[in-house]
Amino acid sequence: MLLRFRVTNHKSIRDTAELVLTKSGFEGVRPRSGSWASVTNRVVGVFGPNASGKTTLLDAMHFAVTAISDSAKWSDRDLFPHAPFLLDDESGAETSAYEFDFTIEQTRHVYGFESSAAGIASEWLYSFPAGRRRALFERNGPGPDQMTFSRSLKGENMRIARLMGAHNLYLSTARMANHDYLGEVHRHLTRNVHYAAFSEYYQQSRIRSVKRWIENAEALQQAQALLRFADLGIDRLSLEEVDVDEQTQSILRRATKITLGENNDKEREEKLLSTLLEEQRKVINFWHRGASPETPHSLELSDESSGTVAWLSLALPALREIRHGGTLLVDELDSSLHPRLAGALIAIFKSEELNPLGAQLVFTSHDTSLMGHLAGDGLDREEMWFAEKSPEGATEIFPLTDFPVKKDHNVERRYLGGRYGAVPSLAWEELLASLRTETPA
C-alpha cells in the first residue's frame, strides 16, 4: 500500500512536492489499530489546468519505478537519466530526488534515491517494524565503499555492493543478485505500481497485455463483465489467431533490425521477431448484439470506438491491481473515459466489498464533475489534490484539506470559482489587444 510519494527537481517540479495518501487526521509512525487500510485513501484525484504539472507528478513516480526495475542493466550508459527543472540557472546542475513511503505485510518502509546525470548520489531504505525507524542501508555516493548496512539486514550485502556501478541502484542490483529481503522490496515497488499514461502508445501497450491476460478463462470472464457493465452493446469477447501476411512479416523483420541495431546477435533478433509475430497473430473480436439476438456480429479492435478500447485498456488493468492490492496511476482519466465510467472506476476502488485488499487509484483530470457524485460515493475532500504553477513556472502540489471545507460546500463550484487555486488564469485583455485591428479610414 502506498502511503506517500515525494519528488524534488523533476521536470516542472522544482521544489519538493509530496503526494500523501494517508488521511489528514492520521499522525504518528503507524496506525493504532495496526491496519494501514483504516488510515489510507484508496483514491486520489489531482486536478488543475493544462501544463500545471499533474502529469509530471505521475511521470516522476513512473521514472522512479523504472529506475528501480531496470537500473542494474544501465552500467553501459554514458549518463543516468536526469530531467531537472530548467527554468532557472541552478536546478539543471542539481540532483533530483525520489522517495516512496509504503507498506509490505503491514510494515512501513521508506525507500528513496537521489541522482543526477553522473549517476546515483545517495540511496536509502528504512523500515519501521516496531514503530521505530530502522536504517536497513544507506548510500552516500556512487561506490560500494560509501554503503552502510544494518546488522538486521541479512545477506551478502557488501558482495552485492561491489557489483554495482555509479548508474546502478543498490536495490536493483540486489534484486538481480537474488537478495531475499531486498528482492521482496524490489518486487513490491515494481510490480505493485503501474502507470497508465494518456497516449496511443501506452494504450496499445495495455491492449497487448489484455491479449495475454484474456487467454486465462477467469480474466476473459472479467473482461466480458466489464464490457457488459459499461453498456457498450458487447456480449462477449473472443481471442482468435490469424495468419500474418508476408508484407507484415517483412515490415516486422526490418523493425526488429532497426530496434536492436547492427551489433545485435541473431538469437536476440529472432526472439523479438517471434514476440512481435505472436502479437500480430492474436486478434480480439468483440461480439455485438445485432438486430437479431440469435445472430451477433463480430468486430475487430480496429473497428471499435475509442471509448470501448479505452475502457477495456483501463478497467481490466484496474481489476488486476485490485486483485493484488496494487496502485494504478492513470493520467487524464477524463480524456480516456466518459464521466460516468470514470466515476464508476473510482467507485470500484472505493468499495470495500469490491476492493478488499485496499488497492489504490491515483489519477489526474480536468473533469470537475468527478468531484461530485456521478457514480457511487464520488470523491471526498480527503481524496482531492490540486496542481498549479508558481510565477516562476514551478509546479506546486497541495490538498483540498489545506482549505476550510464544510459539508454543505459545493466543492466543484467553489473550485471553478477559484477558491482553491489551480484554475487557468485567462489573459482576456492581452488576447483582445492582439486581435483588435484599426478601423480603416
Side-chain angles (χ1 to χ4, degrees), residues 9-15 51-53 84-91 388-396:
N9 196 27
H10 180 89
K11 297 185 178 178
S12 68
I13 298 175
R14 180 189 61 190
D15 307 313
S52 61
F85 183 78
L86 296 177
L87 298 183
D88 62 23
D89 297 329
E90 297 82 27
S91 299
E388 69 176 6
K389 288 279 186 71
S390 71
E392 295 82 21
T395 293
E396 298 175 348

Side-chain angles (χ1 to χ4, degrees), residues 198-359:
F198 177 69
S199 73
E200 181 69 19
Y201 170 80
Y202 280 103
Q203 186 179 85
Q204 290 304 315
S205 176
R206 294 196 298 274
I207 285 293
R208 288 194 293 271
S209 296
V210 168
K211 287 182 181 180
R212 294 194 301 271
W213 296 340
I214 63 176
E215 291 184 83
N216 176 276
E218 183 181 357
L220 176 61
Q221 185 178 9
Q222 289 179 338
Q224 292 175 154
L226 285 167
L227 291 170
R228 288 193 292 267
F229 165 78
D231 192 26
L232 299 171
I234 299 170
D235 282 331
R236 64 183 180 92
L237 293 176
S238 64
L239 188 65
E240 300 176 12
E241 289 204 7
V242 299
D243 294 329
V244 182
D245 60 73
E246 286 296 330
Q247 182 180 3
T248 301
Q249 291 187 42
S250 177
I251 292 171
L252 291 177
R253 285 193 183 92
R254 290 199 300 271
T256 300
K257 290 181 181 296
I258 293 171
T259 300
L260 297 179
E262 296 180 358
N263 300 322
N264 180 58
D265 60 89
K266 194 69 175 177
E267 182 180 350
R268 193 176 171 202
E269 183 179 316
E270 289 298 325
K271 185 176 180 180
L272 177 57
L273 178 61
S274 176
T275 300
L276 294 175
L277 286 171
E278 187 66 20
E279 289 177 355
Q280 289 294 315
R281 288 191 189 100
K282 293 178 181 178
V283 175
I284 300 177
N285 280 333
F286 298 77
W287 293 86
H288 287 255
R289 298 185 294 272
S292 172
E294 291 77 21
T295 56
H297 294 270
S298 171
L299 297 179
E300 292 186 8
L301 186 70
S302 58
D303 298 319
E304 286 294 339
S305 71
S306 59
T308 297
V309 177
W311 175 248
L312 184 63
S313 72
L314 276 181
L316 193 56
L319 281 191
R320 289 178 66 85
E321 296 304 319
I322 286 172
R323 183 174 183 179
H324 298 101
T327 301
L328 181 64
L329 314 175
V330 180
D331 188 29
E332 297 193 31
L333 181 64
D334 55 301
S335 297
S336 303
L337 301 176
H338 185 279
R340 289 194 66 84
L341 288 181
L345 191 64
I346 291 169
I348 289 171
F349 273 88
K350 292 187 66 170
S351 168
E352 293 186 8
E353 181 180 1
L354 298 175
N355 182 16
L357 296 181

Side-chain angles (χ1 to χ4, degrees), residues 91-112:
S91 299
E94 295 177 353
T95 59
S96 301
Y98 310 86
E99 185 178 75
F100 292 96
D101 196 338
F102 58 101
T103 63
I104 301 177
E105 300 289 336
Q106 294 296 323
T107 298
R108 181 180 178 183
H109 290 70
V110 173
Y111 170 77

Side-chain angles (χ1 to χ4, degrees), residues 13 41 68 97-98 145 252 272 296 301 333 401 408 432 436:
I13 298 175
N41 293 311
I68 295 166
Y98 310 86
D145 57 329
L252 291 177
L272 177 57
L301 186 70
L333 181 64
T401 53
D408 61 345
L432 289 171
R436 195 174 289 126

